[in-house]
Amino acid sequence: MNYKMSILIRTDLKMGRGKMVAQGAHAAVGAVLESIKRNPEWLEQWETAGAAKIALRVDSIEELMQMVQKARSLGMTSFIVTDMGLTQVEPGTVTAAAIGPAPENLVDQVTGKLRLL
Amino acid sequence: MNYKMSILIRTDLKMGRGKMVAQGAHAAVGAVLESIKRNPEWLEQWETAGAAKIALRVDSIEELMQMVQKARSLGMTSFIVTDMGLTQVEPGTVTAAAIGPAPENLVDQVTGKLRLL
Protein backbone atom coordinates (compact mmCIF):
# COMPACT_ATOMS: atom_id res chain seq x y z
CA MET A 1 0.00 0.00 0.00
CA ASN A 2 1.23 3.49 -0.80
CA TYR A 3 1.18 6.31 1.73
CA LYS A 4 1.28 10.04 1.25
CA MET A 5 0.71 13.45 2.74
CA SER A 6 -1.19 16.27 1.03
CA ILE A 7 -0.08 19.81 1.77
CA LEU A 8 -2.78 22.41 1.08
CA ILE A 9 -1.77 26.02 0.46
CA ARG A 10 -4.25 28.89 0.20
CA THR A 11 -3.76 30.77 -3.05
CA ASP A 12 -6.31 33.50 -2.28
CA LEU A 13 -3.85 35.24 0.08
CA LYS A 14 -0.98 37.43 -1.04
CA MET A 15 1.77 34.96 -0.11
CA GLY A 16 5.04 34.82 -2.02
CA ARG A 17 6.71 31.49 -2.72
CA GLY A 18 9.04 31.78 0.29
CA LYS A 19 6.08 32.26 2.59
CA MET A 20 4.33 29.30 0.94
CA VAL A 21 7.39 27.09 1.54
CA ALA A 22 7.58 28.09 5.21
CA GLN A 23 3.83 27.57 5.78
CA GLY A 24 3.85 24.23 3.95
CA ALA A 25 6.82 23.09 6.04
CA HIS A 26 4.99 24.16 9.18
CA ALA A 27 1.95 22.10 8.16
CA ALA A 28 4.02 19.01 7.33
CA VAL A 29 6.01 19.16 10.58
CA GLY A 30 2.81 19.65 12.58
CA ALA A 31 1.15 16.64 10.96
CA VAL A 32 4.22 14.48 11.58
CA LEU A 33 4.44 15.43 15.27
CA GLU A 34 0.70 14.79 15.66
CA SER A 35 1.10 11.42 13.93
CA ILE A 36 3.81 10.38 16.38
CA LYS A 37 1.18 10.62 19.10
CA ARG A 38 -1.92 9.45 17.25
CA ASN A 39 -0.91 7.27 14.36
CA PRO A 40 2.73 6.14 14.54
CA GLU A 41 2.12 3.11 12.31
CA TRP A 42 1.02 5.07 9.27
CA LEU A 43 3.85 7.52 9.90
CA GLU A 44 6.41 4.74 9.89
CA GLN A 45 4.97 3.13 6.75
CA TRP A 46 5.02 6.49 5.00
CA GLU A 47 8.62 7.23 5.99
CA THR A 48 9.78 3.77 4.94
CA ALA A 49 8.13 4.22 1.55
CA GLY A 50 9.88 7.56 0.88
CA ALA A 51 7.61 10.05 2.67
CA ALA A 52 5.71 11.14 -0.46
CA LYS A 53 4.26 14.65 -0.30
CA ILE A 54 2.21 16.65 -2.75
CA ALA A 55 1.50 20.39 -2.66
CA LEU A 56 -2.04 21.34 -3.68
CA ARG A 57 -3.96 24.59 -3.95
CA VAL A 58 -7.10 25.63 -2.13
CA ASP A 59 -8.76 28.90 -3.04
CA SER A 60 -10.48 29.77 0.24
CA ILE A 61 -10.57 29.13 3.97
CA GLU A 62 -13.89 27.31 3.46
CA GLU A 63 -12.37 24.86 1.01
CA LEU A 64 -9.42 24.22 3.34
CA MET A 65 -11.64 23.59 6.36
CA GLN A 66 -13.93 21.26 4.39
CA MET A 67 -10.92 19.15 3.43
CA VAL A 68 -9.64 18.99 7.00
CA GLN A 69 -13.04 18.05 8.39
CA LYS A 70 -13.48 15.30 5.82
CA ALA A 71 -9.98 13.98 6.61
CA ARG A 72 -10.76 13.88 10.31
CA SER A 73 -14.07 12.10 9.72
CA LEU A 74 -12.10 9.40 7.86
CA GLY A 75 -9.68 8.99 10.78
CA MET A 76 -6.69 10.77 9.26
CA THR A 77 -4.29 13.08 11.01
CA SER A 78 -4.39 16.70 9.92
CA PHE A 79 -2.77 19.95 10.95
CA ILE A 80 -3.95 23.51 10.34
CA VAL A 81 -1.42 26.38 10.19
CA THR A 82 -2.56 29.66 11.70
CA ASP A 83 -0.04 32.38 10.95
CA MET A 84 1.07 34.93 13.52
CA GLY A 85 0.75 37.55 10.81
CA LEU A 86 4.11 39.23 11.25
CA THR A 87 4.57 39.33 7.47
CA GLN A 88 2.32 39.28 4.41
CA VAL A 89 -0.96 38.18 6.08
CA GLU A 90 -3.22 39.35 8.92
CA PRO A 91 -2.66 37.86 12.43
CA GLY A 92 -4.61 34.65 12.93
CA THR A 93 -4.93 33.87 9.23
CA VAL A 94 -5.19 30.19 8.33
CA THR A 95 -2.62 29.80 5.53
CA ALA A 96 -2.09 26.07 5.01
CA ALA A 97 -2.89 22.56 6.21
CA ALA A 98 -1.52 19.06 5.95
CA ILE A 99 -3.54 15.85 5.65
CA GLY A 100 -1.91 12.52 6.48
CA PRO A 101 0.42 10.76 6.30
CA ALA A 102 -2.16 8.10 5.47
CA PRO A 103 -2.86 5.44 2.85
CA GLU A 104 -2.93 7.07 -0.58
CA ASN A 105 -6.45 5.92 -1.46
CA LEU A 106 -7.78 7.46 1.74
CA VAL A 107 -5.97 10.77 1.18
CA ASP A 108 -7.20 10.85 -2.42
CA GLN A 109 -10.81 10.50 -1.23
CA VAL A 110 -10.37 13.93 0.32
CA THR A 111 -7.84 15.84 -1.80
CA GLY A 112 -7.94 13.88 -5.05
CA LYS A 113 -9.69 16.62 -7.01
CA LEU A 114 -7.54 19.56 -5.93
CA ARG A 115 -5.17 21.12 -8.46
CA LEU A 116 -1.41 21.05 -8.05
CA LEU A 117 -0.02 24.18 -6.42
CA MET B 1 16.78 32.54 23.53
CA ASN B 2 15.07 32.32 20.16
CA TYR B 3 15.17 29.20 18.03
CA LYS B 4 14.62 28.72 14.33
CA MET B 5 15.01 26.51 11.31
CA SER B 6 16.35 27.65 7.95
CA ILE B 7 14.99 25.93 4.87
CA LEU B 8 17.26 26.25 1.84
CA ILE B 9 15.79 25.84 -1.64
CA ARG B 10 17.88 25.65 -4.81
CA THR B 11 16.74 28.26 -7.31
CA ASP B 12 19.07 27.12 -10.10
CA LEU B 13 16.79 24.15 -10.90
CA LYS B 14 13.58 24.36 -12.88
CA MET B 15 11.26 23.79 -9.90
CA GLY B 16 7.79 25.31 -9.76
CA ARG B 17 6.41 26.64 -6.48
CA GLY B 18 4.50 23.42 -5.72
CA LYS B 19 7.68 21.41 -6.08
CA MET B 20 9.50 23.90 -3.85
CA VAL B 21 6.82 23.56 -1.16
CA ALA B 22 7.03 19.75 -1.24
CA GLN B 23 10.85 19.74 -1.12
CA GLY B 24 10.93 22.32 1.67
CA ALA B 25 8.43 20.28 3.66
CA HIS B 26 10.54 17.19 3.12
CA ALA B 27 13.61 19.01 4.43
CA ALA B 28 11.80 20.33 7.50
CA VAL B 29 10.27 16.96 8.39
CA GLY B 30 13.65 15.27 7.93
CA ALA B 31 15.38 17.75 10.22
CA VAL B 32 12.66 17.34 12.88
CA LEU B 33 12.85 13.54 12.85
CA GLU B 34 16.65 13.73 13.03
CA SER B 35 16.39 16.19 15.93
CA ILE B 36 14.16 13.79 17.88
CA LYS B 37 17.10 11.39 17.91
CA ARG B 38 20.02 13.80 18.16
CA ASN B 39 18.86 17.01 19.76
CA PRO B 40 15.42 16.74 21.39
CA GLU B 41 16.06 19.69 23.72
CA TRP B 42 16.51 22.26 20.96
CA LEU B 43 13.55 20.74 19.13
CA GLU B 44 11.32 21.16 22.16
CA GLN B 45 12.49 24.74 22.78
CA TRP B 46 11.83 25.59 19.15
CA GLU B 47 8.35 24.05 19.16
CA THR B 48 7.44 25.81 22.40
CA ALA B 49 8.54 29.13 20.95
CA GLY B 50 6.37 28.77 17.83
CA ALA B 51 8.59 26.67 15.53
CA ALA B 52 9.91 29.62 13.49
CA LYS B 53 10.97 28.76 9.96
CA ILE B 54 12.43 30.82 7.18
CA ALA B 55 12.75 29.89 3.50
CA LEU B 56 16.00 31.01 1.86
CA ARG B 57 17.50 30.68 -1.60
CA VAL B 58 20.72 29.00 -2.61
CA ASP B 59 21.87 29.24 -6.21
CA SER B 60 23.94 26.07 -6.52
CA ILE B 61 24.60 22.65 -5.04
CA GLU B 62 28.00 23.94 -3.87
CA GLU B 63 26.42 26.75 -1.85
CA LEU B 64 23.91 24.35 -0.30
CA MET B 65 26.57 21.84 0.70
CA GLN B 66 28.81 24.55 2.17
CA MET B 67 25.94 25.68 4.39
CA VAL B 68 25.18 22.15 5.55
CA GLN B 69 28.82 21.41 6.30
CA LYS B 70 29.20 24.60 8.30
CA ALA B 71 26.01 23.81 10.23
CA ARG B 72 27.30 20.35 11.08
CA SER B 73 30.66 21.71 12.20
CA LEU B 74 28.76 23.94 14.64
CA GLY B 75 26.82 20.98 16.04
CA MET B 76 23.49 21.70 14.40
CA THR B 77 21.11 19.17 12.91
CA SER B 78 20.67 19.33 9.16
CA PHE B 79 18.87 17.36 6.49
CA ILE B 80 19.56 17.18 2.76
CA VAL B 81 16.75 16.35 0.33
CA THR B 82 17.72 14.21 -2.64
CA ASP B 83 14.85 13.97 -5.08
CA MET B 84 13.84 10.75 -6.79
CA GLY B 85 13.51 12.73 -9.98
CA LEU B 86 10.08 11.55 -11.05
CA THR B 87 9.09 15.11 -11.95
CA GLN B 88 10.89 18.32 -12.93
CA VAL B 89 14.47 17.34 -11.93
CA GLU B 90 16.94 14.54 -12.71
CA PRO B 91 17.03 11.48 -10.38
CA GLY B 92 19.37 12.01 -7.44
CA THR B 93 19.26 15.79 -7.59
CA VAL B 94 19.79 17.61 -4.30
CA THR B 95 16.94 20.12 -4.23
CA ALA B 96 16.73 21.50 -0.68
CA ALA B 97 18.07 21.30 2.86
CA ALA B 98 17.05 22.27 6.37
CA ILE B 99 19.34 23.56 9.11
CA GLY B 100 18.21 23.41 12.72
CA PRO B 101 16.07 23.79 14.71
CA ALA B 102 18.78 25.52 16.73
CA PRO B 103 19.41 28.78 18.58
CA GLU B 104 18.82 31.67 16.19
CA ASN B 105 22.29 33.19 16.62
CA LEU B 106 23.88 29.87 15.69
CA VAL B 107 21.66 29.39 12.61
CA ASP B 108 22.38 32.96 11.53
CA GLN B 109 26.12 32.30 11.66
CA VAL B 110 25.54 29.91 8.77
CA THR B 111 22.56 31.21 6.79
CA GLY B 112 22.40 34.85 7.88
CA LYS B 113 23.57 36.23 4.56
CA LEU B 114 21.29 34.23 2.28
CA ARG B 115 18.45 36.01 0.53
CA LEU B 116 14.79 35.22 1.21
CA LEU B 117 13.33 32.73 -1.22
Side-chain angles (χ1 to χ4, degrees), chain A residues 5 7 9 11 15 17-22 24-29 32-33 36 43 46-47 49-55 57 84 117, chain B residues 5 7 9 11 15 17-22 24-29 32-33 36 43 46-47 49-55 57 84 117:
Chain A
M5 175 191 287
I7 299 170
I9 305 283
T11 52
M15 294 194 287
R17 66 179 183 184
K19 183 88 179 176
M20 287 183 176
V21 167
H26 202 110
V29 167
V32 163
L33 294 175
I36 289 172
L43 178 65
W46 172 71
E47 278 183 68
K53 293 169 204 72
I54 189 161
R57 56 186 294 166
M84 292 201 288
L117 177 65
Chain B
M5 175 192 287
I7 298 170
I9 304 283
T11 52
M15 294 195 286
R17 68 180 183 182
K19 182 87 179 177
M20 287 182 177
V21 167
H26 202 109
V29 166
V32 164
L33 293 176
I36 290 173
L43 178 65
W46 172 72
E47 278 184 66
K53 293 168 203 72
I54 189 161
R57 55 185 295 167
M84 291 200 289
L117 176 64

Coordinates of all heavy atoms in Angstrom, one line a residue, chain A residues 5 7 9 11 15 17-22 24-29 32-33 36 43 46-47 49-55 57 84 117, chain B residues 5 7 9 11 15 17-22 24-29 32-33 36 43 46-47 49-55 57 84 117:
Chain A
M5 N 1.2 12.3 2.0 CA 0.7 13.4 2.7 C 0.3 14.5 1.7 O 1.1 14.8 0.8 CB 1.8 14.0 3.7 CG 1.4 15.3 4.4 SD 2.8 16.1 5.2 CE 3.0 15.0 6.6
I7 N -0.3 18.5 1.2 CA -0.1 19.8 1.8 C -0.9 20.8 1.0 O -0.8 21.0 -0.2 CB 1.4 20.2 1.7 CG1 2.3 19.2 2.5 CG2 1.6 21.6 2.2 CD1 3.7 19.3 2.3
I9 N -2.2 24.6 0.3 CA -1.8 26.0 0.5 C -2.9 26.9 -0.1 O -3.3 26.7 -1.2 CB -0.5 26.3 -0.3 CG1 0.7 25.3 0.1 CG2 0.0 27.7 -0.2 CD1 1.3 25.6 1.4
T11 N -4.3 29.9 -2.0 CA -3.8 30.8 -3.0 C -4.5 32.1 -3.2 O -4.3 32.9 -4.0 CB -3.8 30.0 -4.4 OG1 -5.2 29.6 -4.6 CG2 -2.8 28.9 -4.4
M15 N 0.5 35.6 -0.6 CA 1.8 35.0 -0.1 C 2.7 34.7 -1.3 O 2.4 34.2 -2.3 CB 1.5 33.6 0.6 CG 0.6 33.7 1.8 SD 0.7 32.2 2.8 CE -0.4 31.1 1.8
R17 N 6.4 32.9 -2.8 CA 6.7 31.5 -2.7 C 7.5 31.1 -1.5 O 7.4 30.0 -1.0 CB 7.5 31.1 -4.0 CG 8.8 31.7 -4.1 CD 9.6 31.3 -5.3 NE 10.9 31.9 -5.4 CZ 11.8 31.8 -6.3 NH1 11.5 31.1 -7.4 NH2 13.0 32.3 -6.2
G18 N 8.3 32.1 -0.9 CA 9.0 31.8 0.3 C 8.1 31.6 1.5 O 8.3 30.6 2.3
K19 N 7.1 32.4 1.5 CA 6.1 32.3 2.6 C 5.3 30.9 2.4 O 5.1 30.2 3.4 CB 5.1 33.4 2.5 CG 4.0 33.4 3.5 CD 4.4 34.2 4.8 CE 3.4 34.2 5.8 NZ 3.8 34.8 7.1
M20 N 5.0 30.6 1.2 CA 4.3 29.3 0.9 C 5.2 28.1 1.4 O 4.7 27.2 2.0 CB 4.0 29.2 -0.5 CG 2.8 30.0 -1.0 SD 2.5 29.7 -2.8 CE 1.0 30.8 -3.0
V21 N 6.5 28.2 1.1 CA 7.4 27.1 1.5 C 7.4 27.0 3.1 O 7.3 25.9 3.6 CB 8.8 27.3 1.0 CG1 9.8 26.4 1.6 CG2 8.8 27.1 -0.5
A22 N 7.5 28.1 3.7 CA 7.6 28.1 5.2 C 6.3 27.6 5.8 O 6.3 26.8 6.7 CB 7.9 29.5 5.7
G24 N 4.0 25.6 4.3 CA 3.9 24.2 3.9 C 4.7 23.4 4.8 O 4.3 22.3 5.3
A25 N 5.9 23.8 5.1 CA 6.8 23.1 6.0 C 6.2 23.0 7.4 O 6.3 22.0 8.1 CB 8.2 23.7 6.1
H26 N 5.6 24.1 7.9 CA 5.0 24.2 9.2 C 3.9 23.1 9.2 O 3.7 22.4 10.2 CB 4.4 25.6 9.4 CG 4.2 25.9 10.9 ND1 5.0 26.8 11.5 CD2 3.4 25.4 11.8 CE1 4.6 26.8 12.8 NE2 3.6 26.0 13.0
A27 N 3.1 23.1 8.2 CA 1.9 22.1 8.2 C 2.5 20.7 8.2 O 1.9 19.8 9.0 CB 1.1 22.3 6.9
A28 N 3.5 20.4 7.4 CA 4.0 19.0 7.3 C 4.6 18.6 8.7 O 4.4 17.5 9.1 CB 5.1 18.9 6.2
V29 N 5.4 19.5 9.3 CA 6.0 19.2 10.6 C 4.9 18.9 11.6 O 5.0 18.0 12.4 CB 7.0 20.3 11.0 CG1 7.4 20.1 12.5 CG2 8.2 20.3 10.1
V32 N 3.3 15.6 11.2 CA 4.2 14.5 11.6 C 4.3 14.4 13.1 O 4.2 13.3 13.7 CB 5.6 14.7 11.0 CG1 6.7 13.8 11.7 CG2 5.6 14.4 9.5
L33 N 4.4 15.5 13.8 CA 4.4 15.4 15.3 C 3.1 14.9 15.9 O 3.1 14.2 16.8 CB 4.8 16.8 15.8 CG 6.2 17.3 15.5 CD1 6.4 18.7 16.0 CD2 7.3 16.4 16.1
I36 N 3.0 11.1 15.4 CA 3.8 10.4 16.4 C 2.9 10.0 17.6 O 3.0 8.9 18.1 CB 5.0 11.2 16.8 CG1 6.0 11.3 15.7 CG2 5.7 10.6 18.1 CD1 7.2 12.3 16.0
L43 N 2.7 6.7 10.1 CA 3.9 7.5 9.9 C 5.1 6.7 9.5 O 5.8 7.1 8.6 CB 4.1 8.3 11.2 CG 5.3 9.2 11.2 CD1 5.2 10.3 10.3 CD2 5.6 9.7 12.7
W46 N 4.8 5.4 5.9 CA 5.0 6.5 5.0 C 6.5 6.8 4.9 O 7.0 7.0 3.8 CB 4.2 7.7 5.5 CG 4.4 9.0 4.8 CD1 3.9 9.3 3.6 CD2 5.0 10.2 5.4 NE1 4.2 10.7 3.4 CE2 4.9 11.2 4.4 CE3 5.6 10.5 6.6 CZ2 5.4 12.5 4.7 CZ3 6.1 11.7 6.8 CH2 6.0 12.7 5.9
E47 N 7.2 6.9 6.0 CA 8.6 7.2 6.0 C 9.4 6.1 5.2 O 10.3 6.4 4.4 CB 9.2 7.3 7.4 CG 9.0 8.6 8.1 CD 9.6 8.5 9.5 OE1 10.9 8.5 9.6 OE2 8.9 8.5 10.5
A49 N 8.4 4.2 3.0 CA 8.1 4.2 1.5 C 8.6 5.5 0.8 O 8.2 5.7 -0.3 CB 6.6 4.0 1.3
G50 N 9.3 6.4 1.5 CA 9.9 7.6 0.9 C 9.2 8.9 1.2 O 9.6 9.9 0.7
A51 N 8.2 8.8 2.1 CA 7.6 10.0 2.7 C 7.1 11.0 1.6 O 7.3 12.2 1.5 CB 8.6 10.8 3.6
A52 N 6.3 10.4 0.7 CA 5.7 11.1 -0.5 C 4.8 12.3 0.0 O 4.0 12.1 0.9 CB 4.9 10.2 -1.4
K53 N 5.0 13.4 -0.6 CA 4.3 14.7 -0.3 C 3.8 15.3 -1.6 O 4.6 15.3 -2.6 CB 5.1 15.7 0.4 CG 5.5 15.3 1.8 CD 6.6 16.2 2.3 CE 7.4 15.5 3.4 NZ 8.4 14.5 2.8
I54 N 2.7 15.9 -1.6 CA 2.2 16.6 -2.7 C 1.6 18.0 -2.3 O 1.0 18.1 -1.3 CB 1.2 15.8 -3.6 CG1 0.9 16.5 -4.9 CG2 -0.1 15.6 -2.8 CD1 0.3 15.6 -5.9
A55 N 2.0 19.1 -3.0 CA 1.5 20.4 -2.7 C 0.3 20.7 -3.6 O 0.4 20.7 -4.8 CB 2.6 21.4 -2.8
R57 N -3.4 23.3 -4.2 CA -4.0 24.6 -4.0 C -5.4 24.5 -3.5 O -6.2 23.8 -4.0 CB -3.8 25.5 -5.2 CG -4.5 24.9 -6.4 CD -4.2 25.8 -7.6 NE -4.8 27.1 -7.5 CZ -4.5 28.2 -8.2 NH1 -3.6 28.1 -9.2 NH2 -5.2 29.3 -8.0
M84 N 1.0 33.8 12.5 CA 1.1 34.9 13.5 C 0.9 36.3 12.8 O 0.7 37.3 13.5 CB 2.4 34.9 14.3 CG 2.4 33.6 15.2 SD 3.6 33.8 16.6 CE 5.1 33.7 15.7
L117 N -0.4 22.8 -6.7 CA 0.0 24.2 -6.4 C 0.8 24.7 -7.5 O 0.7 25.9 -7.9 CB 0.7 24.2 -5.1 CG 1.3 25.6 -4.7 CD1 0.1 26.6 -4.5 CD2 2.1 25.6 -3.4
Chain B
M5 N 14.5 27.4 12.3 CA 15.0 26.5 11.3 C 15.1 27.3 10.0 O 14.2 28.0 9.7 CB 14.0 25.3 11.1 CG 14.4 24.4 10.0 SD 13.0 23.2 9.6 CE 13.1 22.1 11.0
I7 N 15.3 26.9 6.0 CA 15.0 25.9 4.9 C 15.6 26.5 3.6 O 15.3 27.6 3.2 CB 13.5 25.8 4.7 CG1 12.9 25.2 5.9 CG2 13.2 24.9 3.5 CD1 11.3 25.2 5.9
I9 N 16.3 26.4 -0.4 CA 15.8 25.8 -1.6 C 16.7 26.3 -2.8 O 17.0 27.4 -2.9 CB 14.4 26.4 -1.9 CG1 13.4 26.1 -0.7 CG2 13.8 25.9 -3.2 CD1 12.9 24.7 -0.6
T11 N 17.5 27.5 -6.3 CA 16.7 28.3 -7.3 C 17.4 28.1 -8.7 O 16.9 28.7 -9.6 CB 16.7 29.8 -6.9 OG1 18.0 30.2 -6.7 CG2 15.9 30.0 -5.7
M15 N 12.3 24.3 -10.8 CA 11.3 23.8 -9.9 C 10.2 24.8 -9.8 O 10.4 26.0 -9.6 CB 11.8 23.5 -8.5 CG 12.8 22.4 -8.4 SD 13.0 21.8 -6.7 CE 14.0 23.1 -6.0
R17 N 6.6 26.4 -7.9 CA 6.4 26.6 -6.5 C 5.9 25.4 -5.7 O 6.2 25.2 -4.5 CB 5.5 27.9 -6.3 CG 4.1 27.7 -6.7 CD 3.2 28.9 -6.5 NE 1.9 28.6 -6.9 CZ 0.9 29.5 -6.9 NH1 1.1 30.7 -6.5 NH2 -0.3 29.1 -7.2
G18 N 5.1 24.6 -6.4 CA 4.5 23.4 -5.7 C 5.6 22.4 -5.4 O 5.6 21.9 -4.3
K19 N 6.5 22.3 -6.3 CA 7.7 21.4 -6.1 C 8.5 22.0 -4.9 O 9.0 21.2 -4.1 CB 8.5 21.3 -7.4 CG 9.7 20.4 -7.3 CD 9.4 19.0 -7.6 CE 10.6 18.1 -7.6 NZ 10.2 16.7 -7.8
M20 N 8.7 23.3 -4.9 CA 9.5 23.9 -3.9 C 8.8 23.7 -2.5 O 9.5 23.4 -1.5 CB 9.7 25.4 -4.1 CG 10.6 25.8 -5.2 SD 10.8 27.6 -5.4 CE 12.0 27.6 -6.7
V21 N 7.5 23.8 -2.4 CA 6.8 23.6 -1.2 C 7.0 22.1 -0.7 O 7.3 21.8 0.5 CB 5.3 23.9 -1.3 CG1 4.5 23.4 -0.1 CG2 5.1 25.4 -1.4
A22 N 6.9 21.2 -1.6 CA 7.0 19.8 -1.2 C 8.5 19.4 -0.8 O 8.7 18.8 0.2 CB 6.6 18.9 -2.4
G24 N 10.7 21.6 0.4 CA 10.9 22.3 1.7 C 10.3 21.6 2.8 O 10.9 21.5 3.9
A25 N 9.1 21.1 2.6 CA 8.4 20.3 3.7 C 9.2 19.0 4.0 O 9.4 18.6 5.1 CB 7.0 19.9 3.2
H26 N 9.7 18.4 2.9 CA 10.5 17.2 3.1 C 11.8 17.5 4.0 O 12.1 16.8 4.9 CB 11.0 16.7 1.7 CG 11.3 15.2 1.7 ND1 10.6 14.3 1.1 CD2 12.4 14.6 2.3 CE1 11.1 13.1 1.3 NE2 12.2 13.2 2.0
A27 N 12.4 18.6 3.7 CA 13.6 19.0 4.4 C 13.3 19.3 5.9 O 14.0 18.8 6.8 CB 14.2 20.3 3.8
A28 N 12.2 20.0 6.1 CA 11.8 20.3 7.5 C 11.4 19.1 8.3 O 11.8 18.9 9.5 CB 10.6 21.3 7.5
V29 N 10.7 18.2 7.7 CA 10.3 17.0 8.4 C 11.5 16.1 8.7 O 11.7 15.6 9.8 CB 9.2 16.2 7.6 CG1 9.1 14.7 8.1 CG2 7.9 16.9 7.5
V32 N 13.4 17.6 11.6 CA 12.7 17.3 12.9 C 12.9 15.9 13.4 O 13.1 15.7 14.5 CB 11.2 17.7 12.7 CG1 10.3 17.1 13.9 CG2 11.0 19.2 12.7
L33 N 12.7 15.0 12.5 CA 12.9 13.5 12.8 C 14.3 13.3 13.3 O 14.5 12.5 14.2 CB 12.4 12.6 11.7 CG 11.0 12.7 11.3 CD1 10.7 11.8 10.1 CD2 10.1 12.2 12.5
I36 N 14.7 14.6 16.8 CA 14.2 13.8 17.9 C 15.2 12.8 18.4 O 15.3 12.6 19.6 CB 12.9 13.0 17.3 CG1 11.8 14.0 17.1 CG2 12.5 11.9 18.3 CD1 10.6 13.4 16.4
L43 N 14.8 20.9 19.8 CA 13.6 20.7 19.1 C 12.4 21.2 20.0 O 11.5 21.9 19.5 CB 13.4 19.3 18.8 CG 12.1 18.9 18.1 CD1 12.0 19.5 16.7 CD2 12.0 17.3 17.9
W46 N 12.3 25.0 20.4 CA 11.8 25.6 19.1 C 10.3 25.5 19.0 O 9.6 26.4 18.7 CB 12.6 24.9 18.0 CG 12.2 25.2 16.6 CD1 12.4 26.3 15.9 CD2 11.5 24.3 15.7 NE1 11.9 26.2 14.6 CE2 11.4 25.0 14.5 CE3 11.0 23.0 15.8 CZ2 10.8 24.4 13.4 CZ3 10.4 22.4 14.7 CH2 10.3 23.1 13.5
E47 N 9.8 24.3 19.3 CA 8.4 24.1 19.2 C 7.6 25.0 20.1 O 6.6 25.6 19.8 CB 8.0 22.6 19.5 CG 8.2 21.6 18.4 CD 7.7 20.2 18.9 OE1 6.5 20.1 19.1 OE2 8.6 19.4 19.0
A49 N 8.4 27.7 21.3 CA 8.5 29.1 20.9 C 7.9 29.4 19.6 O 8.0 30.5 19.1 CB 10.0 29.5 20.9
G50 N 7.1 28.5 19.0 CA 6.4 28.8 17.8 C 6.9 28.2 16.6 O 6.4 28.4 15.5
A51 N 8.0 27.4 16.7 CA 8.6 26.7 15.5 C 8.9 27.6 14.3 O 8.5 27.3 13.2 CB 7.7 25.5 15.1
A52 N 9.6 28.7 14.6 CA 9.9 29.6 13.5 C 10.7 29.0 12.4 O 11.6 28.2 12.6 CB 10.7 30.8 14.0
K53 N 10.3 29.3 11.1 CA 11.0 28.8 10.0 C 11.1 29.9 9.0 O 10.3 30.7 8.8 CB 10.1 27.7 9.3 CG 9.9 26.4 10.1 CD 8.8 25.6 9.4 CE 8.2 24.7 10.4 NZ 7.4 25.4 11.4
I54 N 12.2 29.8 8.2 CA 12.4 30.8 7.2 C 12.9 30.1 5.9 O 13.7 29.2 6.0 CB 13.4 31.9 7.6 CG1 13.4 33.1 6.6 CG2 14.8 31.4 7.9 CD1 14.0 34.4 7.2
A55 N 12.4 30.5 4.8 CA 12.8 29.9 3.5 C 13.7 30.8 2.8 O 13.5 32.0 2.6 CB 11.5 29.7 2.6
R57 N 17.1 31.2 -0.3 CA 17.5 30.7 -1.6 C 19.0 30.4 -1.6 O 19.8 31.2 -1.1 CB 17.1 31.6 -2.7 CG 17.6 33.0 -2.5 CD 17.1 33.9 -3.6 NE 17.6 33.5 -4.9 CZ 17.1 33.9 -6.1 NH1 16.1 34.8 -6.1 NH2 17.6 33.5 -7.2
M84 N 13.9 12.0 -6.0 CA 13.8 10.8 -6.8 C 13.8 11.1 -8.3 O 14.0 10.2 -9.1 CB 12.7 9.9 -6.4 CG 12.9 9.3 -5.0 SD 11.9 7.8 -4.7 CE 10.3 8.5 -4.6
L117 N 13.8 33.4 0.0 CA 13.3 32.7 -1.2 C 12.3 33.6 -1.9 O 12.2 33.7 -3.1 CB 12.8 31.3 -0.9 CG 12.2 30.6 -2.0 CD1 13.2 30.2 -3.1 CD2 11.5 29.3 -1.6

